[in-house]
Amino acid sequence: MVAADSPDSSGGALAPRRQLVTGPARSGKSRWAEHLARQHPGPVLYVATAGRHLEDPHWQARLEIHRQRRPPHWALAELQEGLADGLSHLQPTELALVDALGSWVAWGLEQPPLSWQASVEALASAVEACPGRLILVSEQTGWGVVPPTAIGGLFRDRLGALEQELARRCQRSWLVVAGRALDLQAISEPVPR
């Protein structure tokens, strides 16, 4: 059940409690999520789900771009295994921007199916019960070439299923393509389960 929007803490317009921002690589989804987070009148926690990968200079350059875009007063948490638990500690006045679910899925790729399903259920429950506001960023995969490896196919399948599970719990879902954000709730119908 998706909770109704509620007034933001400044008494202003209705703000969604949970939003999903998805799109392909380099589409602008992180920038859009950051734009949405900047509108929050209270504290913002940026939740990074990827490892640091200190040996990869290209990855470090991408992380630095994200760091430079974030306002200095936003807090930072690096969570993978503890993502669900971390969301439960959010304060009602806080907003967490989780960037991104693909890194969280990659962390769990070695989990067998039953363990993975338990992780997904824990995250979905944490999203639904989160006392603060959430913006979840997720990569879109599977729009083109079929992954040439079994692990690539597993990643695509798990991420797609996770996005559908979490989108049902969000008041707003955004699709960001070529630097344009589309409000999917406003222009779409849910696919029957």
Side-chain angles (χ1 to χ4, degrees), residues 98-159:
V98 179
D99 196 358
L101 294 174
S103 299
W104 186 77
V105 170
W107 157 81
L109 280 177
E110 294 185 12
Q111 288 184 329
L114 289 177
S115 295
W116 173 249
Q117 189 55 42
S119 294
V120 168
E121 289 170 7
L123 180 59
S125 294
V127 164
E128 192 143 11
C130 182
R133 297 188 182 278
L134 290 175
I135 298 173
L136 306 166
V137 178
S138 187
E139 303 84 344
Q140 279 291 301
T141 60
W143 284 33
V145 178
V146 175
T149 63
I151 196 92
L154 181 63
F155 175 82
R156 176 202 57 207
D157 294 348
R158 284 185 173 182
L159 183 60

Side-chain angles (χ1 to χ4, degrees), residues 155-187:
F155 175 82
R156 176 202 57 207
D157 294 348
R158 284 185 173 182
L159 183 60
L162 177 65
E163 286 173 349
Q164 288 187 51
E165 187 67 33
L166 296 179
R168 287 194 287 275
R169 290 169 164 76
C170 292
Q171 289 83 32
R172 184 141 317 131
S173 293
W174 298 94
L175 175 63
V176 181
V177 179
R180 306 288 296 182
L182 300 168
D183 180 348
L184 294 178
Q185 258 83 357
I187 62 171

Side-chain angles (χ1 to χ4, degrees), residues 55-77:
E55 72 289 347
D56 184 346
H58 297 292
W59 183 252
Q60 293 306 307
R62 289 185 72 173
L63 291 181
E64 186 57 31
I65 290 169
H66 281 256
R67 280 187 206 107
Q68 290 176 4
R69 281 197 319 244
R70 286 195 304 265
H73 63 276
W74 286 7
L76 172 67

Side-chain angles (χ1 to χ4, degrees), residues 44-63:
V44 174
L45 173 65
Y46 184 93
V47 179
T49 61
R52 293 185 181 204
H53 307 291
L54 297 174
E55 72 289 347
D56 184 346
H58 297 292
W59 183 252
Q60 293 306 307
R62 289 185 72 173
L63 291 181

